Amino acid sequence: TGHLVYGLELVRNDGPWDHPNDFKKYNGVLRYALGDSSNGFNVTGMAYDAKWNATDQVAQRAVDRGLVGRFGSQDTSDGGIASLYSLSTEWRRTQENGRTDFNVYVARHKLNLFSNFTYFLDSPTSGDQFEQAEKRTLLGGEASHAWFGKLAGKDMTNKVGVQLRHDNLDPVALYSTVARNRTDKLDADGNLIPAATREDRVKETSFSVYYQNNLQWTEWFRTIAGVRSDYFKFKVNSSRPENSGNKNDSLISPKLALIFGPWAKTEFFVNYGGGFHSNDARGTTITVDPKTGSSTDADGNPIRQVDPVVRTRGYEIGMRSEIIPTVQTSVSLWRLKQGSELLFTGDAGTTEPSRPSIRTGVELEVHYIPQPWLIFDVNLATTQARFDDSDPDGIGKRIPGALERAGTVGVTLDSLRGWSGSLQWRYFGPRPLIEDNSVRSQSTIVTNARAGYNFDRHWGLHFDVFNLFNRKANDIDYFYTSRLVGEPVGGVDDIHFHPIDKRGFRLTLTGTF
């Protein structure tokens, strides 16, 4: 006999903003399942639909002058509409000497996002709002099989798998808008800014095959080794024919984990892994600026195509221990090398490839459980992030927005005669906002609390307090050029920030059937 699972979520929220979010979300799921996690089958349908007004980051100087509040908006027509509908199926079969997994999925996504980050920099009369529009159909699947066996009497598992995904974007576009209407504009020199900056039809296909081996060499030593091969094919049909084209790329990513122990409830590990991040397909075929049609950018530099995929390599060494009763400790030292960073650009509201980088960090996790119903958690991390090139323009080697220190401290009470509760403190340290480190953000500290009571196995009531001490801090900080009304045509360099929510409350009644 199968099982039917269904859920429906309706959300309406204005938030703390001076211009209400008017956020409306509808979220639903329907699943039919047979069997269990070892041998079973399921079919799942999901639907998501939302629309909202957006209060994007505001310029610090506008707040300082009293032109807008911390929770105000400098373009009240910013916002968006989004939807996602998907259908997926999973099948799994486990036998004495192996396991097979198979899944396929199809989804339809639509987005219209309206943003204005620079206000009146590009168009002093009509403003800089733009629309990012996308209609995407994606389908894919994965199949894998694992063999359980032995090598010279040692437990061993081998696993192979393939993955396939195809995305059809028809279109993915960028438009110039005023109050969410696609509109031609004029720049400061009286030149035309067309409503359609670019309209592209993009097809992206990726195929991957991987292999993984787990081997228990001795009671105190085991390894996890694997290799993955990825192939990508991009096809771009642009409204500017010069930016159309085809590109493909592939890479092989190995990984290896060595685990030693446990000795006295302590084990040590050494990890290495290769990976990648992909770039926007349109950037792989671009030859001219979509706004101007020029083969150079605003600074006179040639338009540069980006690699479809950028290699990443990571290294880690660490320790996990429970040698102290009721205390779980983990510490690791890691290093990550990337072929290029993805950095935020204020005038486009997107990320774009930048210089290669190296990040090195230390992470510490401690869980103290003095009683079954009481848990203390500490998570601390420190990171050094630098661009890893010769700094050809002499602008500096700091990575804008890269966290240097972060941490959380929490205490949780659970199952104490039906009562539960938690208190969590979260910290993000100051970070550089430009490459030479001359402009930095403030730190962000937030405390959240929760208390709850379960009446029985089916019903529970929970009360949350967000930003308990009502601190003034920011979720994000950027430093770029924008222009307010009355300012010089070239704009002003400034910090732009998005504040964390004010103190908020939530009461939740849950029922399980």
Side-chain angles (χ1 to χ4, degrees), residues 15 134 138 155 210 242 302 350 374 475:
E134 175 184 299
L138 62 96
D155 290 336
Y210 62 89
E242 308 97 313
T350 59
L374 180 62
D475 272 331

Side-chain angles (χ1 to χ4, degrees), residues 454-460 510-513:
N454 291 322
F455 301 100
D456 53 34
R457 292 189 304 111
H458 301 288
W459 292 96
T510 58
T512 304
F513 306 96

Side-chain angles (χ1 to χ4, degrees), residues 175-245:
Y175 300 103
S176 179
T177 58
V178 175
R180 302 196 186 189
N181 295 307
R182 299 170 185 173
T183 307
D184 291 337
K185 302 178 186 178
L186 297 177
D187 65 16
D189 297 322
N191 299 314
L192 177 68
I193 302 175
T197 303
R198 66 180 306 165
E199 292 178 312
D200 303 289
R201 286 162 177 78
V202 178
K203 294 182 179 181
E204 304 177 3
T205 303
S206 64
F207 175 76
S208 309
V209 58
Y210 62 89
Y211 165 74
Q212 178 173 304
N213 172 271
N214 295 30
L215 182 57
Q216 186 75 45
W217 296 84
T218 69
E219 291 184 356
W220 54 267
F221 178 60
R222 69 183 189 275
T223 60
I224 303 173
V227 63
R228 177 186 178 97
S229 177
D230 292 274
Y231 172 79
F232 293 84
K233 182 177 181 180
F234 297 155
K235 181 177 181 180
V236 179
N237 183 6
S238 177
S239 55
R240 282 191 177 272
E242 308 97 313
N243 289 334
S244 299

Side-chain angles (χ1 to χ4, degrees), residues 31-102:
R31 171 177 290 180
Y32 178 75
L34 285 169
D36 54 29
S37 59
S38 298
N39 296 278
F41 168 82
N42 67 64
V43 177
T44 304
M46 302 181 70
Y48 168 89
D49 194 273
K51 61 179 181 179
W52 63 94
N53 298 324
T55 298
D56 291 318
Q57 59 258 29
V58 295
Q60 183 64 60
R61 64 188 186 282
V63 177
D64 295 341
R65 296 174 192 171
L67 302 177
V68 65
R70 279 181 53 82
F71 294 89
S73 174
Q74 294 184 253
D75 190 334
T76 56
S77 63
D78 287 352
I81 303 171
S83 63
L84 176 63
Y85 302 92
S86 66
L87 181 66
S88 62
T89 181
E90 296 179 311
W91 179 87
R92 53 201 171 275
R93 184 70 62 197
T94 304
Q95 299 174 325
E96 182 179 355
N97 61 348
R99 174 184 171 115
T100 303
D101 291 84
F102 177 78

Side-chain angles (χ1 to χ4, degrees), residues 147-374:
W147 291 268
F148 311 135
K150 293 183 179 294
L151 177 65
K154 311 299 182 182
D155 290 336
M156 180 176 67
T157 301
N158 289 296
K159 182 178 181 179
V160 296
V162 294
Q163 296 173 328
L164 177 67
R165 172 168 166 167
H166 177 76
D167 291 57
N168 184 26
L169 294 91
D170 188 8
V172 53
L174 183 66
Y175 300 103
S176 179
T177 58
V178 175
R180 302 196 186 189
N181 295 307
R182 299 170 185 173
T183 307
D184 291 337
K185 302 178 186 178
L186 297 177
D187 65 16
D189 297 322
N191 299 314
L192 177 68
I193 302 175
T197 303
R198 66 180 306 165
E199 292 178 312
D200 303 289
R201 286 162 177 78
V202 178
K203 294 182 179 181
E204 304 177 3
T205 303
S206 64
F207 175 76
S208 309
V209 58
Y210 62 89
Y211 165 74
Q212 178 173 304
N213 172 271
N214 295 30
L215 182 57
Q216 186 75 45
W217 296 84
T218 69
E219 291 184 356
W220 54 267
F221 178 60
R222 69 183 189 275
T223 60
I224 303 173
V227 63
R228 177 186 178 97
S229 177
D230 292 274
Y231 172 79
F232 293 84
K233 182 177 181 180
F234 297 155
K235 181 177 181 180
V236 179
N237 183 6
S238 177
S239 55
R240 282 191 177 272
E242 308 97 313
N243 289 334
S244 299
N246 301 320
K247 279 293 176 69
N248 59 73
D249 203 353
S250 62
L251 78 168
I252 296 176
S253 306
K255 74 172 185 178
L256 177 64
L258 312 177
I259 303 99
F260 305 87
W263 298 290
K265 296 185 178 181
T266 301
E267 67 178 21
F268 302 87
F269 56 87
V270 179
N271 298 328
Y272 165 79
F276 63 91
H277 71 74
S278 60
N279 284 318
D280 191 316
R282 295 169 295 178
T284 67
T285 60
I286 189 171
T287 60
V288 299
D289 186 312
K291 285 186 177 181
T292 65
S294 172
S295 59
T296 59
D297 60 21
D299 298 323
N301 300 315
I303 298 295
R304 181 175 62 91
Q305 295 182 352
V306 299
D307 294 328
V309 292
V310 177
R311 187 178 297 277
T312 300
R313 291 185 175 90
Y315 312 82
E316 182 182 31
I317 183 170
M319 174 270 293
R320 292 182 287 262
S321 178
E322 296 183 26
I323 190 171
I324 302 174
T326 71
V327 177
Q328 302 172 359
T329 303
S330 174
V331 61
S332 63
L333 171 65
W334 57 270
R335 186 177 181 90
L336 184 67
K337 300 183 67 174
Q338 294 193 103
S340 74
E341 286 283 334
L342 292 174
L343 297 184
F344 178 82
T345 56
D347 58 348
T350 59
T351 56
E352 65 178 19
S354 183
R355 300 149 61 188
S357 67
I358 293 181
R359 298 172 186 248
T360 304
V362 179
E363 297 182 1
L364 171 68
E365 296 183 17
V366 179
H367 304 279
Y368 174 44
I369 312 174
Q371 299 291 337
W373 47 267
L374 180 62

Side-chain angles (χ1 to χ4, degrees), residues 129-154:
Q129 188 186 76
F130 60 92
E131 175 191 0
Q132 295 167 278
E134 175 184 299
K135 292 182 180 179
R136 179 191 298 255
T137 301
L138 62 96
L139 54 92
E142 178 178 2
S144 66
H145 184 77
W147 291 268
F148 311 135
K150 293 183 179 294
L151 177 65
K154 311 299 182 182

